[in-house]
């Protein structure tokens, strides 16, 4: 899988086909995740978690915090201890 970050969105590609994305709204030092989506054929394979992980990595690189308003992203971050350092306080 390849990942491309553009316009407040990190997209996941299988070859040339987009198969998932996580989108966010940037407000100062906070990145609010508003949606995570993965193609049905990849459901249950951990691809959504990979996307959320890319979002966490981006926040760390930018020195920003994450506010996961998307229920899926919130669940992943709450269940993954190594992602919790970027949670907004």
């Amino acid at each position: 899988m390849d990942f491309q970050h553009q316009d407040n969105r990190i997209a996941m590609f299988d070859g040339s086909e987009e198969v998932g994305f996580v989108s966010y709204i940037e407000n100062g030092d906070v990145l609010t995740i508003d949606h995570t989506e993965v193609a049905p054929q990849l459901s249950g394979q951990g691809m959504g978690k990979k996307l959320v992980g890319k979002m966490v990595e981006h926040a760390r690189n930018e020195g920003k915090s994450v506010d996961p308003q998307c229920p899926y992203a919130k669940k992943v971050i709450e269940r993954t201890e190594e992602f919790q350092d970027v949670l907004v306080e």
Side-chain angles (χ1 to χ4, degrees), residues 10-61:
I10 299 174
M12 179 171 58
F13 288 87
D14 184 4
S16 61
E17 180 186 4
E18 183 177 310
V19 292
F21 70 91
V22 59
S23 60
Y24 63 94
I25 300 162
E26 187 168 357
N27 186 4
D29 288 338
V30 178
L31 306 177
T32 301
I33 300 175
D34 61 349
H35 192 71
T36 306
E37 189 171 313
V38 174
Q41 69 266 26
L42 297 176
S43 182
Q45 297 180 34
M47 295 299 150
K49 182 176 180 179
K50 283 189 180 198
L51 279 166
V52 173
K54 289 289 183 185
M55 187 69 225
V56 167
E57 183 180 307
H58 171 65
R60 284 184 188 133
N61 290 341

Side-chain angles (χ1 to χ4, degrees), residues 63-77:
K64 300 191 182 227
S65 298
V66 171
D67 178 12
Q69 291 298 309
C70 161
Y72 177 79
K74 181 177 173 99
K75 180 176 72 171
V76 168
I77 291 172

